[in-house]
Amino acid sequence: MKRILFQGDSITDCGRKREDFYGMGSGYANLVKASLGMERPAEFEFVNRGVSGNRIVDLYARMKIDLINLAPDYLSIFIGVNDVWHEIAKENGVATAKFEKIYSMLLDEIREALPETKIMLIAPFVLHGTATCDTEEKPDRWERFQVGVAEKAEVVKKLAKQYGLPCIELQGAFDEACRSAPPEYWTRDGVHPTACGHEIIKRKWIDALKELE
């Protein structure tokens, strides 16, 4: 069977059980598994190694054990919002120039170690919500989220073009979804998707897989 590996932060992690090698969590990765597993039985195995709270530097640090050693046939990488959020919350984010540098290093090393692995990138998004709205303590929080996440998303799109990879652009998809229902319908807090939000990601993910095949 061909192995599909999902990499990223809490949006990918989504409560997966660490003791279960094939634990998928309850998010888009599990929805992809359900859809593809039903439509194309026994063709793929699915592995989730998203880790809640990860920034690009954290993903790079665990690349060997959680990515290269797993030798996936297909890989998706969804990272970037924490590089912004951690700076706003605790001044421990990753500046955009460094984000691009580390992400490029990550892709270069994956390409060198796993030249046959097919990769797709997922650009981060943000909506207005309880974690992203302005507060008395941080009256510019929403603007910082918007600007920071947009910068990271542009880097991901740039790298996808540079490396010839499919890129899932989620900001437009979620903005469009908010025309029919408010942001809290699609995310719990402006960052973490609800079940319906994960369904948006799943559909975009499956479309991107078709580009890789």
Side-chain angles (χ1 to χ4, degrees), residues 65 106 164 170 202:
I65 192 168
L106 178 76
L170 292 176
K202 181 213 82 173

Side-chain angles (χ1 to χ4, degrees), residues 73-134:
D73 297 283
Y74 298 93
L75 166 68
S76 69
I77 301 173
F78 188 5
I79 202 82
V81 71
N82 285 322
D83 299 78
V84 179
W85 196 351
H86 285 208
E87 182 63 24
I88 296 170
K90 47 192 174 183
E91 298 184 355
N92 192 33
V94 178
T96 300
K98 185 174 182 179
F99 178 81
E100 181 173 351
K101 179 179 180 180
I102 300 298
Y103 211 139
S104 296
M105 290 168 57
L106 178 76
L107 293 174
D108 287 339
E109 293 186 36
I110 294 169
R111 279 271 178 89
E112 182 179 357
L114 303 170
E116 301 302 316
T117 295
K118 297 179 179 180
I119 307 167
M120 71 172 78
L121 307 184
I122 306 177
F125 75 98
V126 68
L127 296 180
H128 201 269
T130 56
T132 63
C133 64
D134 293 341

Side-chain angles (χ1 to χ4, degrees), residues 129-144:
T130 56
T132 63
C133 64
D134 293 341
T135 64
E136 186 174 341
E137 181 184 1
K138 290 186 170 66
D140 62 344
R141 187 164 68 163
W142 172 235
E143 181 181 4
R144 292 177 68 187

Side-chain angles (χ1 to χ4, degrees), residues 2-3 5 8 19 21 30 61 67-68 106 122 125 159 193 196:
K2 296 177 181 178
R3 174 172 288 177
L5 174 62
E19 65 275 13
F21 183 88
N30 195 48
L67 200 165
I68 290 173
L106 178 76
I122 306 177
F125 75 98
L159 292 175
C196 296

